[in-house]
Amino acid sequence: MAVVARDGEPGVAAAASRPAAASRLMASMAGLDWLARIWWALLSISLFAGLWELCWALGWADEKLLPPPHIFLDNIAEQGRYFNTATRWQVGQSMTEGPSAFESVLITGAATTARVFVGLIIASVLAIGVGVLIRYYRFFDRLVLPTITLLSPVSPIAWLPVAIFLFGIGNAPAIFMVVVALFFHMVLATINQIDTVNTNLINVARTMGASKAQIYSRVIVPAILPGMLQVLRMNLFGAWMVVLVAESTGVGYGMGQVIMLARNTFNPSLVFFTIAVIGVLGFTFDWLLRLAQRRILYWLPDTAERLRVL
Amino acid sequence: MSSDNAPHFSSRDAVVCRGVGKTWAAGTKRAHHALADINLDVAPGEFVVFLGPSGCGKSTLLYLIAGLEDATEGRLWSFGDLVETPSPQRSLIFQETSLFPWLTVWENVSFGLSIRGASKEERRTVAAEALQRVGLKAAMDKRPDELSGGMRQRVAVARALAMRPKVLLMDEPFAALDVQTRARMQEFLLDVWRDSGASVLFVTHHIDEAVALADRVVVFTSRPGRIKTIVPIDMPRPRNLFSREAESLRIQLTDLLRDEVDRAFAEQEAFAVPA
Ligand SMILES: Nc1ncnc2c1ncn2[C@@H]1O[C@H](COP(=O)(O)OP(=O)(O)OP(=O)(O)O)[C@@H](O)[C@H]1O
Ligand SMILES: [Mg+2]
């Protein structure tokens, strides 16, 4: 049909090829989707920064208290020096020695991120394990669940002294804080997820002669994974908050330490610079988790796309 | 004479129900008497259709036969053995789709084999064979959410067949399909049934479907579900559904069902009006 159109009526052929070209363009645009997303993200941030700068230019924001981005980002090298808290406590170590400013920021950021990450892994494994055990063994349920339910509403901040009593100073108390912040909620979430697994799926496995252990490992655990990753992502921000608190009370070094330092030395530039770094770290972490989620939960449709058509 | 309460039953029928009843949430305020006084014998290789108003307990009875729920009254046997737990001998195809979304089509179909620890090659062969029968071999490596509702239901049928059950329990498996697809699925089911020699217990709302498939149609009353009548169908297969005989069967079944649906509605109205 296209051949006929080309010979007989050039106008029609041209009209027919236009949508084709458009769809090809769309296809190539789809490959650049991530570029568009970055562009929007940059625009969003610039808008925020621009408003702030405007307030500063109009004299509404005191630059001593609320220094706008161009000021607190201006002297990165100087700000970065403060991140070199790693070896500060060593006798005879001066501020100018040790890693460069940029390296300091990287090391500090990496240390905090690593604490969050390790805490997250430990909490997830423990919580899913305990949650499954609670549903698997009735006696375990009766023995353990009351305590977990009792402890889950306790603010993680209340555990801070315990973290220090138990682990003193270093990575351990910070990781412990993250684990405590996530564990109880995640156990309860796991139980809730198990209870809402589609009964038909379980019954299918039962009619095929699956044992209790097989039903748990092959049906219940895969069925609750999507919900669990969702819970994990929602608790991620809590984990970041808690790790900063833990670090600020003397775990050695990390983003929380830098904030504390900024507060004690009354350095708003450093505060905002640190906030910016934390924001970027948290955002990246969430993005990576989302990526992992898509990898692990390959079978789930993209829910965001579903609403976009409205 | 052996007692009805004996764990073994003299009859070697595929399914034997004696005085079977079910009260959901028994002993609580929300107790609900769903099924009562079911006496039914299904011969090996027989095709039995359950027909009844919505909510009369057809699904419940299939659950009891499958061994997924315990009867609160009476007992059930299958091939002489008391039904106490689910068994791979009795496969149930659920009313709603029940495929594992995280497994591919062929992994779904061979799930039962993987439970028994079969090798991957064996599982793939069996799955391919079962999927061939439902005309979905090409979709082997797809995921359930990539399939249409009808295709998913066919995968569920293939999964049940892969277990080589002696009793195939089907809960309105074709309810969501269009008329043409349903007709094809019925033909296909009859082929499978003839090849496998299994007994089929098939729930449906559609009188046409009952006439097309059944050796016997079991008509249920509403609340609690009891067997109202059993209508045998002697028409030879393949059946001419436009014959005079088929027409008179449809009329007979429609009349039987209409009374029950009227009664069910009247009762539900009575429930809805505050006393
Ligand atoms: N798990 C359950 N717990 C409590 N009540 C139930 C349960 N399953 C079914 N029932 C009740 O038992 C009655 C019979 O339900 P059942 O699903 O067997 O009906 P059905 O004949 O299959 O209906 P339909 O044709 O609409 O599928 C209904 O009134 C229902 O409310
Ligand atoms: Mg039903």
Side-chain angles (χ1 to χ4, degrees), chain A residues 15 32 48 63 83 86 100 107 127 143 145 189 197 201 205 208 232 249 273-274 277 288 300 306-307:
Chain A
L32 296 177
F48 176 67
E63 69 176 60
F83 282 71
S100 73
I107 292 171
L143 196 66
L145 192 56
V197 171
L201 297 186
M208 294 188 173
L232 194 67
T249 49
F273 181 67
T274 317
V277 173
L288 288 176
L300 289 188
R306 234 173 17 201
L307 294 179

mmCIF file of all heavy atoms in Angstrom, chain A residues 15 32 48 63 83 86 100 107 127 143 145 189 197 201 205 208 232 249 273-274 277 288 300 306-307:
data_model
loop_
_atom_site.group_PDB
_atom_site.id
_atom_site.type_symbol
_atom_site.label_atom_id
_atom_site.label_comp_id
_atom_site.label_asym_id
_atom_site.label_seq_id
_atom_site.Cartn_x
_atom_site.Cartn_y
_atom_site.Cartn_z
ATOM 1 N N ALA A 15 2.473 12.600 3.780
ATOM 2 C CA ALA A 15 1.676 12.680 5.004
ATOM 3 C C ALA A 15 1.830 11.414 5.831
ATOM 4 O O ALA A 15 1.880 11.461 7.044
ATOM 5 C CB ALA A 15 0.207 12.896 4.651
ATOM 6 N N LEU A 32 16.783 9.182 25.458
ATOM 7 C CA LEU A 32 17.362 10.329 26.157
ATOM 8 C C LEU A 32 16.501 10.739 27.350
ATOM 9 O O LEU A 32 16.641 11.831 27.886
ATOM 10 C CB LEU A 32 17.493 11.507 25.193
ATOM 11 C CG LEU A 32 18.449 11.268 24.021
ATOM 12 C CD1 LEU A 32 18.462 12.452 23.095
ATOM 13 C CD2 LEU A 32 19.845 10.983 24.528
ATOM 14 N N PHE A 48 15.026 26.787 43.168
ATOM 15 C CA PHE A 48 15.106 26.933 44.614
ATOM 16 C C PHE A 48 16.274 27.853 44.986
ATOM 17 O O PHE A 48 16.119 28.823 45.744
ATOM 18 C CB PHE A 48 15.271 25.549 45.236
ATOM 19 C CG PHE A 48 15.453 25.559 46.720
ATOM 20 C CD1 PHE A 48 14.421 25.969 47.546
ATOM 21 C CD2 PHE A 48 16.647 25.169 47.295
ATOM 22 C CE1 PHE A 48 14.577 25.986 48.922
ATOM 23 C CE2 PHE A 48 16.811 25.184 48.666
ATOM 24 C CZ PHE A 48 15.775 25.590 49.479
ATOM 25 N N GLU A 63 23.350 37.349 55.090
ATOM 26 C CA GLU A 63 24.312 36.356 54.610
ATOM 27 C C GLU A 63 25.133 35.748 55.737
ATOM 28 O O GLU A 63 25.770 34.724 55.575
ATOM 29 C CB GLU A 63 25.218 36.948 53.526
ATOM 30 C CG GLU A 63 26.191 38.008 54.031
ATOM 31 C CD GLU A 63 27.095 38.454 52.915
ATOM 32 O OE1 GLU A 63 26.567 38.955 51.915
ATOM 33 O OE2 GLU A 63 28.314 38.266 53.025
ATOM 34 N N PHE A 83 35.872 18.974 57.085
ATOM 35 C CA PHE A 83 35.460 17.572 57.006
ATOM 36 C C PHE A 83 36.577 16.641 57.448
ATOM 37 O O PHE A 83 36.370 15.462 57.654
ATOM 38 C CB PHE A 83 35.049 17.215 55.570
ATOM 39 C CG PHE A 83 33.672 17.704 55.238
ATOM 40 C CD1 PHE A 83 33.436 19.050 55.079
ATOM 41 C CD2 PHE A 83 32.627 16.814 55.099
ATOM 42 C CE1 PHE A 83 32.169 19.511 54.787
ATOM 43 C CE2 PHE A 83 31.364 17.268 54.810
ATOM 44 C CZ PHE A 83 31.121 18.616 54.648
ATOM 45 N N ALA A 86 38.661 13.203 60.595
ATOM 46 C CA ALA A 86 39.058 11.814 60.815
ATOM 47 C C ALA A 86 40.199 11.706 61.803
ATOM 48 O O ALA A 86 40.189 10.846 62.674
ATOM 49 C CB ALA A 86 39.446 11.173 59.497
ATOM 50 N N SER A 100 43.356 16.065 51.320
ATOM 51 C CA SER A 100 42.952 17.365 50.781
ATOM 52 C C SER A 100 41.479 17.607 51.099
ATOM 53 O O SER A 100 40.754 16.695 51.525
ATOM 54 C CB SER A 100 43.155 17.394 49.276
ATOM 55 O OG SER A 100 42.153 16.605 48.666
ATOM 56 N N ILE A 107 35.652 11.186 51.931
ATOM 57 C CA ILE A 107 35.842 10.195 52.997
ATOM 58 C C ILE A 107 34.698 10.296 53.998
ATOM 59 O O ILE A 107 34.077 9.291 54.379
ATOM 60 C CB ILE A 107 37.198 10.414 53.716
ATOM 61 C CG1 ILE A 107 38.345 10.077 52.767
ATOM 62 C CG2 ILE A 107 37.271 9.561 54.976
ATOM 63 C CD1 ILE A 107 39.708 10.450 53.293
ATOM 64 N N ALA A 127 15.106 -8.201 60.372
ATOM 65 C CA ALA A 127 13.667 -7.966 60.509
ATOM 66 C C ALA A 127 12.870 -8.981 59.698
ATOM 67 O O ALA A 127 11.893 -9.544 60.186
ATOM 68 C CB ALA A 127 13.325 -6.546 60.075
ATOM 69 N N LEU A 143 6.254 -15.535 72.190
ATOM 70 C CA LEU A 143 7.391 -15.195 73.044
ATOM 71 C C LEU A 143 7.953 -13.820 72.689
ATOM 72 O O LEU A 143 8.333 -13.044 73.565
ATOM 73 C CB LEU A 143 8.471 -16.260 72.860
ATOM 74 C CG LEU A 143 9.581 -16.321 73.894
ATOM 75 C CD1 LEU A 143 9.004 -16.747 75.227
ATOM 76 C CD2 LEU A 143 10.653 -17.287 73.434
ATOM 77 N N LEU A 145 6.799 -11.418 69.959
ATOM 78 C CA LEU A 145 6.027 -10.317 69.384
ATOM 79 C C LEU A 145 5.626 -9.240 70.402
ATOM 80 O O LEU A 145 5.714 -8.049 70.091
ATOM 81 C CB LEU A 145 4.795 -10.867 68.652
ATOM 82 C CG LEU A 145 4.073 -9.842 67.779
ATOM 83 C CD1 LEU A 145 5.013 -9.234 66.761
ATOM 84 C CD2 LEU A 145 2.892 -10.484 67.072
ATOM 85 N N ALA A 189 6.130 -4.651 59.849
ATOM 86 C CA ALA A 189 5.752 -4.562 58.433
ATOM 87 C C ALA A 189 5.829 -5.933 57.770
ATOM 88 O O ALA A 189 4.960 -6.304 56.977
ATOM 89 C CB ALA A 189 6.653 -3.573 57.713
ATOM 90 N N VAL A 197 -0.592 -11.781 52.126
ATOM 91 C CA VAL A 197 -0.270 -12.528 50.905
ATOM 92 C C VAL A 197 -1.544 -13.201 50.391
ATOM 93 O O VAL A 197 -2.318 -13.769 51.173
ATOM 94 C CB VAL A 197 0.807 -13.597 51.190
ATOM 95 C CG1 VAL A 197 0.974 -14.520 49.988
ATOM 96 C CG2 VAL A 197 2.134 -12.942 51.524
ATOM 97 N N LEU A 201 -2.486 -17.941 46.209
ATOM 98 C CA LEU A 201 -1.119 -18.352 45.893
ATOM 99 C C LEU A 201 -0.657 -19.427 46.864
ATOM 100 O O LEU A 201 -0.030 -20.417 46.480
ATOM 101 C CB LEU A 201 -0.178 -17.146 45.947
ATOM 102 C CG LEU A 201 -0.448 -16.032 44.938
ATOM 103 C CD1 LEU A 201 0.647 -14.983 45.020
ATOM 104 C CD2 LEU A 201 -0.524 -16.591 43.527
ATOM 105 N N ALA A 205 0.134 -23.623 46.093
ATOM 106 C CA ALA A 205 1.298 -24.377 46.549
ATOM 107 C C ALA A 205 0.867 -25.561 47.412
ATOM 108 O O ALA A 205 1.432 -26.657 47.312
ATOM 109 C CB ALA A 205 2.247 -23.462 47.313
ATOM 110 N N MET A 208 -0.282 -28.489 45.493
ATOM 111 C CA MET A 208 0.796 -29.171 44.776
ATOM 112 C C MET A 208 1.704 -29.924 45.730
ATOM 113 O O MET A 208 2.760 -30.410 45.322
ATOM 114 C CB MET A 208 1.588 -28.165 43.967
ATOM 115 C CG MET A 208 0.723 -27.583 42.873
ATOM 116 S SD MET A 208 1.645 -26.588 41.753
ATOM 117 C CE MET A 208 0.384 -26.287 40.539
ATOM 118 N N LEU A 232 11.410 -0.411 53.198
ATOM 119 C CA LEU A 232 12.819 -0.059 53.350
ATOM 120 C C LEU A 232 13.066 1.352 52.846
ATOM 121 O O LEU A 232 13.723 2.171 53.497
ATOM 122 C CB LEU A 232 13.655 -1.056 52.547
ATOM 123 C CG LEU A 232 15.138 -1.056 52.834
ATOM 124 C CD1 LEU A 232 15.364 -1.564 54.229
ATOM 125 C CD2 LEU A 232 15.858 -1.936 51.838
ATOM 126 N N THR A 249 27.090 12.876 68.249
ATOM 127 C CA THR A 249 27.420 12.717 69.662
ATOM 128 C C THR A 249 28.730 11.980 69.839
ATOM 129 O O THR A 249 28.899 11.231 70.784
ATOM 130 C CB THR A 249 26.318 11.949 70.396
ATOM 131 O OG1 THR A 249 26.032 10.791 69.642
ATOM 132 C CG2 THR A 249 25.099 12.784 70.587
ATOM 133 N N PHE A 273 26.502 23.969 53.486
ATOM 134 C CA PHE A 273 27.287 23.112 52.611
ATOM 135 C C PHE A 273 27.067 21.640 52.975
ATOM 136 O O PHE A 273 26.840 20.783 52.120
ATOM 137 C CB PHE A 273 28.771 23.477 52.722
ATOM 138 C CG PHE A 273 29.653 22.662 51.830
ATOM 139 C CD1 PHE A 273 29.565 22.794 50.461
ATOM 140 C CD2 PHE A 273 30.541 21.743 52.368
ATOM 141 C CE1 PHE A 273 30.368 22.024 49.629
ATOM 142 C CE2 PHE A 273 31.345 20.973 51.540
ATOM 143 C CZ PHE A 273 31.252 21.117 50.174
ATOM 144 N N THR A 274 27.073 21.380 54.285
ATOM 145 C CA THR A 274 26.866 20.000 54.734
ATOM 146 C C THR A 274 25.474 19.509 54.356
ATOM 147 O O THR A 274 25.297 18.370 53.904
ATOM 148 C CB THR A 274 27.036 19.903 56.266
ATOM 149 O OG1 THR A 274 28.154 20.670 56.630
ATOM 150 C CG2 THR A 274 27.217 18.479 56.695
ATOM 151 N N VAL A 277 25.512 18.512 50.843
ATOM 152 C CA VAL A 277 26.166 17.211 50.631
ATOM 153 C C VAL A 277 25.244 16.073 51.084
ATOM 154 O O VAL A 277 25.075 15.076 50.369
ATOM 155 C CB VAL A 277 27.516 17.153 51.391
ATOM 156 C CG1 VAL A 277 28.109 15.760 51.308
ATOM 157 C CG2 VAL A 277 28.479 18.172 50.817
ATOM 158 N N LEU A 288 19.690 4.712 44.011
ATOM 159 C CA LEU A 288 20.299 3.377 43.863
ATOM 160 C C LEU A 288 19.340 2.295 44.364
ATOM 161 O O LEU A 288 19.210 1.236 43.750
ATOM 162 C CB LEU A 288 21.617 3.306 44.646
ATOM 163 C CG LEU A 288 22.772 4.090 44.033
ATOM 164 C CD1 LEU A 288 23.999 4.048 44.938
ATOM 165 C CD2 LEU A 288 23.118 3.520 42.656
ATOM 166 N N LEU A 300 7.290 -6.453 38.545
ATOM 167 C CA LEU A 300 6.274 -5.451 38.843
ATOM 168 C C LEU A 300 6.190 -4.417 37.724
ATOM 169 O O LEU A 300 7.204 -3.972 37.224
ATOM 170 C CB LEU A 300 6.610 -4.735 40.149
ATOM 171 C CG LEU A 300 6.448 -5.566 41.404
ATOM 172 C CD1 LEU A 300 6.611 -4.676 42.629
ATOM 173 C CD2 LEU A 300 5.103 -6.249 41.447
ATOM 174 N N ARG A 306 1.586 4.443 35.176
ATOM 175 C CA ARG A 306 0.161 4.169 35.110
ATOM 176 C C ARG A 306 -0.656 5.427 35.339
ATOM 177 O O ARG A 306 -1.689 5.627 34.728
ATOM 178 C CB ARG A 306 -0.190 3.134 36.171
ATOM 179 C CG ARG A 306 -0.917 1.957 35.587
ATOM 180 C CD ARG A 306 -1.131 0.848 36.546
ATOM 181 N NE ARG A 306 -0.968 1.179 37.943
ATOM 182 C CZ ARG A 306 -0.717 0.265 38.870
ATOM 183 N NH1 ARG A 306 -0.596 -0.985 38.516
ATOM 184 N NH2 ARG A 306 -0.582 0.600 40.132
ATOM 185 N N LEU A 307 -0.162 6.275 36.242
ATOM 186 C CA LEU A 307 -0.929 7.475 36.592
ATOM 187 C C LEU A 307 -0.666 8.606 35.615
ATOM 188 O O LEU A 307 -1.408 9.574 35.573
ATOM 189 C CB LEU A 307 -0.562 7.920 38.008
ATOM 190 C CG LEU A 307 -0.973 6.937 39.091
ATOM 191 C CD1 LEU A 307 -0.554 7.450 40.458
ATOM 192 C CD2 LEU A 307 -2.476 6.714 39.070
#
